[in-house]
Amino acid sequence: MRAYARFLMIGACLLAAAGAALADEGMWMLNQLPAEALQKAGLQLKTTDIYTPGGASLAQAVCLLGGTGEFVSPEGLILTNHHVAFSAIQFNSTAENNYLENGFTANSLQEELRSPNSTCSVLQDIRDVTAEMRAVLSDDMTPRERHDAIDRKSKELVKAAEAAAPGCDCRLATMFDGMSYYIYTYLRLRDVRLVYAPPESIGNYGGEIDNWMWPRHTGDFALLRAYTGPDGKPADFSPANVPFRPKAWLTFATEGVAEGDFIMVIGYPGKTMRYRLAMDVEFALKTSYPYRVKLFQSMMRLLEDAGKDNAELAVRMASKIKRLANTMKNNQGMIDGLSKNGLVGQKSREEAAIDTWLKAHPSEAVRFGPVRDELTAMLQEQQRWFRHDFLLGYVGMASDTLGFANTVYRWSREREKPDLERESSYMDRNLSQARTRLQFAQRNYHAATDEKVLALYLRELDSLPEGTRVAALDKALEKYAPQSHTDAIPRLAHDLVSGTRLGVEAERMKMFAMKKDELLALHDPCIDFIAALSGEIDDMNDRGKAWDGALSRLNPLWIELLGLYSGKPLYPDANSNLRLTYGKVVGYDPRDAVSYKPFTTLAGVLEKNTGAVPFNCPEKLFRLHQAKDFGGYADPRLKDVPVDFLGDTDITGGNSGSPVLNARGQLVGIAFDGNYESMTSDWQFDPPLSRTLSVDTRYVLFVLDKFSNAQRILKELTIK
């Protein structure tokens, strides 16, 4: 075990020293902030003001809502992005009351609208559990034994942590792919309601045309509110619930920011992969991203066609379309960026240099020499199974009907096991949330459209080559012989959707409560199809667990080797837990002879107007600008209302809605995007080009005040 002790010591050094060498790059854990580097960069607070376990600090003012949000009042009011709140807005919209198109303002607590699929999590504590996790591992374990030991111990630690903190949601976070482990404890609030949304002509101005692009002119913000039971504890939705009272909330700084000012972002970055091998990047560039773009583009066209002549259906499909469009553009941006930045070549040259370095350091070669070869062999095996495993892993999301069947059947199977022996997603702690998702999925369900999406998905499954084919699909298609698979697949999709009772909410909820044998006795075609698929899904999961177990040993060794070779401190990849990144307000030069300034203004919004979606600027904004009725929200340097601004902070997916704070910890912006040139920041942070796009809070206040006259909301905010 002495190797593990050295391993942990190196991991601690990587984290502790990281801030000293890398000023703006990195997503820092809040319990290990680079205090000296932050102060040198311009922070005027102590790091304990940013995060104090269980205390009233800035981190207490940040919550997770499918992205990130922040408390901005003592009554649980949450500021986030319009696109993060999109599902809540869409859920409450109809063709007659289209809040996406027209916006929404609640003029009292009673008018605030339920958002059943939204939850809000507030950080309470971060605890290092590396020693406990390492105690169950040994050098002689097989990859699967390592996975199972890690899985079992993590469940035990999470269950014990949640028992010690009622009402909280605890998560095990792995840093450096297994070098260290932490338990994050969050207070999870289950009743979240829509308070305010600007119309899409403000909140989504520019739409997918401007998405990820600069200059941007969007007011991408919305307001929600978290509620608790009358006793102040987390509770499901009830008219008797009361607004949550956070320990801290953010103050708006009306003076805003200027070019060169210090800023920091606190939020929930999703996933970065900055220590992967060149072959991993190359596969993503040439295979996985192109495949996903093509698949999601096809699905999106089906959903868009469904709503072309049906306003109500267009509203119901809006969330799915937006999600697919955003993912598709992100993946296309990855392809473009990785093609241009030469990251594959950079990593290949680095790996060759490491091989040379190891030859000159024989003592390190003994330990680290085999690591890259072992990783390469494993990646080759994963890549062989990519399309098969991606499609089977997507079975719960591709089609609503098949997703219902997958959820119902998997829960019936997992409930037969003791809680700690189940797959993590199917433990009792997740039962209420799964039930809520099944119940409220009816709002956006449309059988005829879903049948077309299912047929598309089945065609993709059928296209898999020999050696990775799905036997359950081949068997299901046999009954349509002698028809070809091409002709049989639409019939199979029709029979699955029309023959099931899962599309009826009441029937679906009855089935969700059944045992596995009871479900199978129904002979529901969708349940039967998922049951037939389950063996192959189990095989896929078993492969994945063995891979995960092996990678939990290999990836930390590779990262340790990178640190030794480079002589530079490293920071952990993002993993959907709370992080801080810092930098300054600054523009950039995307290409030869082109320079972008760091601010856009209301004048630029009007310049882009075409009168047609997505550049259909509201007439009232024209009138306000013409009268220079800025209400005190104009920037004296710009002589206009600032709309969006750029910063060189290090963010990624999941940071949407994150608060952008000034040196005094006051709110100056809301992060909503990265620039197109920074899409590849999941793989590599590029200081000259990587930028965070944020809505200026002066525009937020201007829209609330002068455009929407939302005086009740403004009175609730703390504005300085």
Side-chain angles (χ1 to χ4, degrees), residues 1-21:
M1 296 297 290
R2 276 180 291 182
Y4 280 139
R6 177 174 179 260
F7 193 63
L8 296 178
M9 179 183 70
I10 290 174
C13 291
L14 292 178
L15 283 165

Side-chain angles (χ1 to χ4, degrees), residues 210-528:
D210 268 10
N211 193 15
W212 298 91
M213 309 305 289
W214 186 261
R216 287 289 289 278
H217 296 85
T218 180
D220 192 353
F221 78 97
L223 288 156
L224 305 158
R225 192 185 305 277
Y227 282 77
T228 67
D231 59 359
K233 296 179 180 178
D236 292 328
F237 173 84
S238 168
N241 286 353
V242 298
F244 172 67
R245 298 191 66 84
K247 293 179 181 177
W249 59 94
L250 296 177
T251 297
F252 285 74
T254 55
E255 75 274 16
V257 283
E259 186 169 6
D261 281 358
F262 171 91
I263 53 172
M264 57 184 171
V265 178
I266 304 176
Y268 293 83
K271 184 178 178 62
T272 55
M273 303 158 286
R274 294 181 180 172
Y275 306 119
R276 300 290 181 90
L277 295 182
M279 67 176 297
D280 219 344
V281 183
E282 186 173 25
F283 185 79
L285 169 63
K286 294 182 177 179
T287 304
S288 64
Y289 286 140
Y291 180 72
R292 286 157 57 93
V293 167
K294 182 179 176 182
L295 177 62
F296 295 158
Q297 192 172 48
S298 299
M299 287 184 170
M300 194 170 73
R301 283 199 202 101
L302 287 177
L303 300 178
E304 288 173 336
D305 289 345
K308 272 184 179 176
D309 301 314
N310 186 325
E312 180 61 31
L313 193 53
V315 170
R316 289 162 68 179
M317 296 294 109
S319 283
K320 296 176 184 176
I321 292 171
K322 188 170 184 65
R323 185 168 58 249
L324 286 168
N326 191 57
T327 303
M328 191 177 69
K329 189 161 187 178
N330 173 276
N331 287 184
Q332 185 59 55
M334 293 285 190
I335 296 168
D336 294 344
L338 291 173
S339 298
K340 291 177 181 177
N341 69 11
L343 184 59
V344 175
Q346 291 175 39
K347 284 186 171 286
S348 295
R349 289 189 292 274
E350 180 182 52
E351 289 164 22
I354 288 173
D355 289 342
T356 302
W357 182 86
L358 283 172
K359 290 175 183 176
H361 296 79
S363 61
E364 303 296 354
V366 172
R367 183 162 183 239
F368 295 110
V371 171
R372 186 156 69 92
D373 288 342
E374 291 182 54
L375 279 172
T376 297
M378 177 157 300
L379 289 173
Q380 287 171 340
E381 181 69 4
Q382 287 180 321
Q383 290 171 7
R384 185 173 81 85
W385 285 97
F386 162 70
R387 271 211 304 145
H388 174 280
D389 290 0
F390 174 79
L391 288 169
L392 281 190
Y394 200 60
V395 71
M397 295 174 281
S399 151
D400 287 341
T401 312
L402 213 55
F404 297 155
N406 186 61
T407 298
V408 167
Y409 180 72
R410 289 295 299 277
W411 270 100
S412 74
R413 281 183 49 185
E414 295 296 320
R415 277 196 297 254
E416 294 179 345
K417 307 174 188 176
D419 198 45
L420 287 177
E421 294 178 15
R422 301 178 193 175
E423 298 292 335
S424 296
S425 299
Y426 299 93
M427 295 176 71
D428 285 341
R429 64 200 290 270
N430 298 313
L431 180 61
S432 175
Q433 196 169 357
R435 186 183 292 114
T436 299
R437 281 198 299 267
L438 275 180
Q439 180 181 354
F440 288 97
Q442 199 68 30
R443 173 71 184 86
N444 297 327
Y445 180 68
H446 186 254
T449 302
D450 198 56
E451 181 182 317
K452 295 176 182 177
V453 173
L454 178 54
L456 170 63
Y457 173 74
L458 294 176
R459 280 194 292 272
E460 288 297 321
L461 274 184
D462 189 51
S463 71
L464 292 171
E466 290 298 329
T468 62
R469 288 195 63 77
V470 176
L473 177 61
D474 287 337
K475 186 168 183 59
L477 291 169
E478 284 177 3
K479 68 179 181 179
Y480 301 99
Q483 285 189 338
S484 68
H485 283 196
T486 301
D487 295 328
I489 281 174
R491 290 187 61 191
L492 174 59
H494 174 75
D495 291 348
L496 289 173
V497 174
S498 63
T500 186
R501 300 293 294 166
L502 285 162
V504 180
E505 181 185 326
E507 295 294 323
R508 183 164 68 245
M509 302 315 294
K510 285 180 188 176
M511 294 163 78
F512 185 60
M514 290 180 180
K515 296 179 179 178
K516 185 179 75 171
D517 290 344
E518 294 173 326
L519 264 182
L520 294 176
L522 296 175
H523 297 296
D524 183 280
C526 272
I527 295 293
D528 290 346

Side-chain angles (χ1 to χ4, degrees), residues 645-682:
F645 67 87
L646 295 169
D648 60 358
T649 45
D650 188 0
I651 69 164
T652 190
N655 272 119
S656 292
S658 295
V660 183
L661 309 175
N662 64 15
R664 299 183 299 282
Q666 297 167 331
L667 189 63
V668 293
I670 318 160
F672 66 85
D673 221 340
N675 57 324
Y676 198 76
E677 294 83 3
S678 74
M679 280 191 178
T680 56
S681 61
D682 284 4

Side-chain angles (χ1 to χ4, degrees), residues 134-208:
R134 285 288 170 196
V136 302
L137 300 177
S138 63
D139 294 335
D140 59 354
M141 283 180 163
T142 66
R144 182 57 191 265
E145 287 171 342
R146 284 182 65 86
H147 169 275
D148 291 349
I150 291 169
D151 183 61
R152 177 79 184 194
K153 189 62 179 178
S154 67
K155 289 174 182 174
E156 290 174 354
L157 289 171
V158 165
K159 195 158 191 171
E162 290 183 341
C168 288
D169 176 25
C170 297
R171 309 169 198 170
L172 185 92
T174 303
M175 302 299 172
F176 294 114
D177 288 350
M179 194 178 288
S180 54
Y181 299 87
Y182 293 82
I183 291 284
Y184 279 69
T185 299
Y186 297 95
L187 183 69
R188 187 162 69 89
L189 305 173
R190 303 189 298 275
D191 183 0
V192 177
R193 306 181 195 180
L194 179 64
V195 177
Y196 173 85
E200 278 198 294
S201 53
I202 290 177
N204 190 31
Y205 192 69
E208 290 307 315

Side-chain angles (χ1 to χ4, degrees), residues 17 89 143 145 195 208 261 355 405 476 564 600 609 629 635 684 688 720:
I89 305 166
E145 287 171 342
V195 177
E208 290 307 315
D261 281 358
D355 289 342
L564 289 171
T600 59
N609 178 63
D629 188 1
D635 185 300
Q684 177 193 46
K720 291 186 179 179

